[in-house]
C-alpha cells in the first residue's frame, strides 16, 4: 500500500513559474524524501527532511514538513524545461529496518 | 564512482517463463532494495537485502524471490511469469551508516515485458 500520496497527479506550468507539489502520509516517520524520475529511468534523490525539521532548502528546491498534518510540500522555483519529470515523495517510517515507501508520483511538465 | 548497474535493461518473456535480473550496487553499499514500478500501482517495494540476508519483504507472491552475494551484488527472480508482471524493476543501493538515513541510489531499471 502507498504511504505517501502526492497531489496534484499532474501539473503543467510555464518556464520561469514556480511549481508546488504536495504529499500526504499516514503513519509516523523518521524522515520524508523527494525523488525525481525522468521518463523510463531510475529515481534520483533530491532532498530529505527529518521529522524534527520544518523547512529545508537546496538550490531551487524548498521542502516543508508538517508532522501534525502528516503532509509535505516541494516547491521548485523558477522552473526550467529540464525540470520536466515525475516527482515522488517517499517516507521512511519510524522503527528498525524500515523501508522507503513511495507515493504514485506527480507528473510535472514545464513548457518552454 | 560507478552508479548502480542493472542488467539487462530490456527483456521480453512469455507467460510461464522465468526471469533473473541482476543489480550491482555502488561500491561500499551493503544494502540493496528492489522495487516494481507499474503505471497503475506506482512503486511497490519487493524486498531488501543487507549483508546477504533478506531484511525486509513486501507483499508479493512467492514467485518473486531474491538473493544477495558476498560482494553485495543482488539478483531477483520471477518464476511462472504472468502478464501483470510486466513492469520496470528498479534496484537501489544504500550505504546505511550508523544513524544514517535511508537514502537510495537507483539504477536505471530493467524493463520486463511479458507476452
Amino acid at each position: 500500500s502507498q504511504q505517501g500520496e502526492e497531489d496534484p497527479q499532474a501539473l503543467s506550468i510555464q518556464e520561469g513559474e514556480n511549481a508546488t507539489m504536495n504529499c500526504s502520509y499516514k503513519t509516523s516517520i523518521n524522515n520524508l524524501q523527494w525523488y525525481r524520475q525522468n521518463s523510463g529511468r531510475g529515481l534520483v534523490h533530491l532532498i530529505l527532511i527529518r521529522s524534527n525539521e520544518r523547512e529545508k532548502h537546496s538550490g531551487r528546491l524548498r521542502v516543508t514538513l508538517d508532522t501534525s498534518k502528516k503532509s509535505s510540500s516541494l516547491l521548485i522555483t523558477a522552473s526550467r524545461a529540464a525540470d520536466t519529470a515525475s516527482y515522488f515523495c517517499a517516507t521512511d517510517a519510524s522503527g528498525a529496518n524500515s523501508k522507503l515507501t513511495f507515493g504514485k508520483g506527480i507528473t510535472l511538465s514545464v513548457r518552454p | 564512482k560507478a552508479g548502480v548497474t542493472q542488467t539487462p535493461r530490456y527483456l521480453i518473456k512469455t507467460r510461464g517463463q522465468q526471469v533473473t535480473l541482476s543489480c550491482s550496487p555502488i561500491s561500499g553499499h551493503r544494502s540493496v532494495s528492489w522495487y516494481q514500478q507499474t503505471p497503475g500501482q506506482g512503486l511497490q517495494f519487493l524486498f531488501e537485502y543487507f549483508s546477504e540476508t533478506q531484511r525486509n519483504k513486501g507483499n508479493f507472491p512467492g514467485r518473486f524471490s531474491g538473493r544477495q552475494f558476498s560482494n553485495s551484488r543482488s539478483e531477483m527472480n520471477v518464476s511462472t511469469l504472468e502478464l501483470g508482471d510486466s513492469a520496470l524493476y528498479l534496484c537501489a543501493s544504500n550505504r546505511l551508516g550508523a544513524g544514517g538515513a535511508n537514502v537510495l541510489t537507483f539504477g536505471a531499471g530493467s524493463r520486463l515485458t511479458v507476452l
Side-chain angles (χ1 to χ4, degrees):
Chain A
S1 62
Q2 308 303 123
Q3 160 75 309
E5 292 194 9
E6 296 94 343
D7 166 61
Q9 288 187 325
L11 182 61
S12 181
I13 59 174
Q14 201 74 34
E15 206 166 26
E17 293 180 337
N18 296 340
T20 300
M21 291 168 268
N22 303 301
C23 170
S24 60
Y25 58 93
K26 297 173 184 172
T27 63
S28 297
I29 60 171
N30 280 327
N31 64 73
L32 184 144
Q33 303 173 37
W34 286 89
Y35 287 76
R36 182 187 73 215
Q37 183 181 35
N38 289 91
S39 181
R41 306 287 296 183
L43 282 73
V44 175
H45 179 257
L46 294 176
I47 193 165
L48 176 151
I49 186 164
R50 299 185 189 277
S51 60
N52 61 353
E53 298 175 314
R54 292 296 167 258
E55 188 171 310
K56 202 97 174 268
H57 295 257
S58 177
R60 294 185 296 113
L61 304 180
R62 171 179 168 254
V63 63
T64 62
L65 179 65
D66 187 334
T67 52
S68 66
K69 294 181 180 177
K70 291 187 169 59
S71 67
S72 172
S73 68
L74 173 68
L75 169 68
I76 303 175
T77 60
S79 63
R80 306 166 182 169
D83 294 328
T84 295
S86 293
Y87 291 81
F88 296 83
C89 70
T91 51
D92 191 356
S94 301
N97 298 336
S98 63
K99 62 183 187 294
L100 278 189
T101 305
F102 288 81
K104 290 191 176 183
I106 298 169
T107 300
L108 172 66
S109 298
V110 181
R111 305 185 301 274
Chain B
K1 56 184 175 184
V4 177
T5 304
Q6 290 188 246
T7 57
R9 287 293 317 282
Y10 303 91
L11 65 166
I12 300 173
K13 293 284 187 178
T14 57
R15 279 180 297 175
Q17 286 186 311
Q18 73 160 13
V19 65
T20 299
L21 308 177
S22 179
C23 172
S24 293
I26 290 174
S27 178
H29 286 197
R30 294 164 61 191
S31 166
V32 173
S33 298
W34 288 90
Y35 287 83
Q36 181 197 64
Q37 186 177 28
T38 59
Q41 297 298 316
L43 277 140
Q44 300 282 320
F45 174 77
L46 281 157
F47 24 65
E48 183 217 357
Y49 288 88
F50 181 81
S51 292
E52 302 179 64
T53 301
Q54 186 181 86
R55 191 163 66 169
N56 244 321
K57 189 176 187 304
N59 296 323
F60 278 82
R63 300 185 297 108
F64 292 81
S65 63
R67 58 178 175 169
Q68 186 180 34
F69 302 95
S70 59
N71 61 357
S72 294
R73 190 177 71 86
S74 177
E75 288 181 348
M76 67 162 284
N77 184 276
V78 188
S79 62
T80 319
L81 284 166
E82 301 176 358
L83 295 179
D85 297 333
S86 295
L88 181 66
Y89 289 88
L90 293 163
C91 166
S93 72
N94 182 350
R95 185 175 38 169
L96 279 182
N102 194 12
V103 174
L104 301 181
T105 302
F106 282 84
S110 291
R111 171 76 64 187
L112 170 64
T113 301
V114 182
L115 303 176

